Amino acid sequence: MTEQFYTTQLQAGLGLKEETKGLFELWQPGMATQDLIDTALESGSFPNVTARRLRNIVAECFVPRYLRKEDTAQFVKALLPSLSSLEVSQIFYLYTARANYILAEFVKNVYWQKYASGYQCILAEDSKSFVEMGLQDGKMKKPWSETTIKRVSSYLLGCLVDYNFLEVASRAERRLTPPRLSEHVAVYLAYELHFSGLGDNAIINHPDWQLFGLSPGDVREELKALAVNRYWIIQAAGDVVQISWAYKNMEEVIDVIA
């Protein structure tokens, strides 16, 4: 497995929910990065965004999050009209965390740990300490300055505010507001992992579920509960899980969600 490093890529854009929805309206299969930039600039859909900023959003945010695999953008574009605002946030959050290792690690190792320990808030200092620890542990390809550490630690909190995981309580505090993983997003994620070639037990143990605060045991129970709606049939004996999947491809899954 390729070693992952913390980057400053979040500085190009945090949640960007409205901008991302706008870009999905314009994006078409086969578009190269420059094609999407040109289309967005010509569309008039982003009147309050400078050309330079729009190029940054496309190249540094939209492309790494949704165009690593073209299928991803196709699936998300097809899914968006059927989702509530909360569900859209969860889908965007999933792909943003996948594209930004530092965000995924912060959520798993700080956010959910704070929640599990009964804390109601995360402090700005908690985020800064996490980034500093990453520096000590060699998680960056090269050392970061104190200014960069401070900026990136604020981006982590800002991104989670954008995706409804935090609320601003004060300048130094963010209130924990963990959303429950929605049924539609859970079904989408389970099938996306399935069609990526993972076995049933690997799906249950996949780290993406941790982004929503779910342990493998939680995932088993979640999938059992969703089996009532005939998304799949699941059998579990101890730690061994066997799933009979109801749909043959992601297009069928999206049709059912819609």
Side-chain angles (χ1 to χ4, degrees):
M1 186 175 179
T2 305
E3 187 175 4
Q4 292 182 283
F5 292 97
Y6 294 173
T7 72
T8 60
Q9 196 169 55
L10 277 176
Q11 70 187 357
L14 304 182
L16 296 173
K17 289 192 288 187
E18 293 307 313
E19 294 88 342
T20 301
K21 286 189 279 188
L23 288 170
F24 268 117
E25 289 176 5
L26 299 172
W27 177 83
Q28 296 297 328
M31 272 189 173
T33 300
Q34 190 59 50
D35 295 331
L36 181 56
I37 291 170
D38 293 342
T39 301
L41 288 171
E42 293 166 7
S43 70
S45 300
F46 303 91
N48 299 318
V49 181
T50 66
R52 180 178 179 181
R53 174 73 180 130
L54 190 53
R55 290 189 186 95
N56 236 15
I57 290 172
V58 173
E60 300 297 326
C61 300
F62 191 85
V63 170
R65 295 176 191 182
Y66 306 103
L67 294 183
R68 285 179 172 178
K69 301 176 183 176
E70 187 166 286
D71 282 353
T72 296
Q74 289 179 287
F75 297 151
V76 175
K77 183 181 174 79
L79 191 64
L80 288 182
S82 310
L83 300 182
S84 68
S85 176
L86 177 62
E87 290 169 335
V88 168
S89 285
Q90 290 187 7
I91 286 289
F92 288 173
Y93 160 73
L94 170 65
Y95 285 107
T96 301
R98 284 180 175 177
N100 292 273
Y101 180 55
I102 189 171
L103 176 63
E105 290 291 285
F106 179 71
V107 171
K108 295 172 190 176
N109 297 316
V110 179
Y111 181 92
W112 288 113
Q113 292 297 325
K114 285 278 186 181
Y115 178 72
S117 299
Y119 287 88
Q120 294 184 329
C121 290
I122 283 183
L123 306 179
E125 189 59 36
D126 295 326
S127 179
K128 186 169 181 285
S129 295
F130 165 79
V131 178
E132 289 172 338
M133 186 64 68
L135 186 61
Q136 292 176 23
D137 292 344
K139 296 289 183 71
M140 293 77 160
K141 284 189 174 180
K142 59 182 182 180
W144 288 2
S145 68
E146 181 65 23
T147 301
T148 299
I149 290 171
K150 189 174 180 180
R151 280 205 327 265
V152 173
S153 64
S154 72
Y155 299 151
L156 293 171
L157 299 178
C159 198
L160 292 178
V161 169
D162 286 351
Y163 289 136
N164 309 116
F165 279 70
L166 292 173
E167 289 180 353
V168 177
S170 69
R171 184 174 181 180
E173 291 186 343
R174 302 295 181 271
R175 188 177 299 110
L176 296 165
T177 55
R180 189 184 189 285
L181 177 62
S182 84
E183 176 178 320
H184 288 158
V185 176
V187 171
Y188 176 88
L189 176 54
Y191 268 100
E192 192 218 39
L193 295 173
H194 169 61
F195 289 124
S196 74
L198 293 179
D200 297 342
N201 286 289
I203 291 170
I204 297 292
N205 289 280
H206 197 277
D208 278 356
W209 300 106
Q210 296 173 36
L211 297 172
F212 297 95
L214 300 178
S215 68
D218 296 329
V219 177
R220 274 196 300 274
E221 294 308 309
E222 188 78 17
L223 298 193
K224 284 180 185 178
L226 291 173
V228 173
N229 296 328
R230 301 184 179 180
Y231 295 122
W232 44 64
I233 297 171
I234 180 169
Q235 297 173 303
D239 292 333
V240 179
V241 172
Q242 185 172 2
I243 303 173
S244 298
W245 301 91
Y247 310 117
K248 297 178 181 177
N249 51 54
M250 284 302 293
E251 288 78 10
E252 289 187 9
V253 175
I254 290 168
D255 284 345
V256 168
I257 291 174

